[in-house]
Amino acid sequence: EGPFFLLETLGEGDVVEVDGDDGETYRYIVQWTQDFPIDEEPPDEALGFTEEEVITLITCGGEWDASVALYDHRTVVRAIRDAAFVPGTPAPGA
């Protein structure tokens, strides 16, 4: 199981924390999670420019197709940075 194994379980309002190379922890709040067929590019809303500081997490998902050695879709999660986050404080609902 890799770091994105449970990515598809994230939903709106869930928290993602990222440890930066600078030693800081950055908190993001999930805006949406969506699946896209593997043979289609995710739309601009997933990959395009944003006015806010966001992260977009993408992993493979769905059913494994052994005939082509691929999963049948991508799971995409968009999360916006929580500018009010103070490191060391618990995540909402924790």
Side-chain angles (χ1 to χ4, degrees), residues 8-31:
E8 68 185 350
T9 66
L10 291 175
E12 184 178 348
D14 285 342
V15 172
V16 174
E17 291 185 351
V18 177
D19 294 328
D21 288 339
D22 59 2
E24 294 293 322
T25 298
Y26 300 91
R27 180 175 287 168
Y28 295 83
I29 308 299
V30 173
Q31 293 178 302

Side-chain angles (χ1 to χ4, degrees), residues 53-71:
E53 186 174 341
V54 301
I55 57 171
T56 302
L57 307 171
I58 303 174
T59 193
C60 51
E63 298 297 319
W64 176 255
D65 184 344
S67 68
V68 291
L70 292 172
Y71 286 91

Side-chain angles (χ1 to χ4, degrees), residues 19-94:
D19 294 328
D21 288 339
D22 59 2
E24 294 293 322
T25 298
Y26 300 91
R27 180 175 287 168
Y28 295 83
I29 308 299
V30 173
Q31 293 178 302
W32 52 263
T33 300
Q34 193 169 350
D35 290 332
F36 296 96
I38 195 72
D39 59 350
E40 293 179 17
E41 283 293 319
D44 284 342
E45 75 178 65
L47 301 177
F49 176 79
T50 65
E51 295 291 329
E52 303 92 3
E53 186 174 341
V54 301
I55 57 171
T56 302
L57 307 171
I58 303 174
T59 193
C60 51
E63 298 297 319
W64 176 255
D65 184 344
S67 68
V68 291
L70 292 172
Y71 286 91
D72 65 359
H73 74 264
R74 291 184 186 101
T75 299
V76 180
V77 174
R78 170 62 62 86
I80 188 168
R81 184 157 176 214
D82 180 358
F85 170 63
V86 176
T89 58

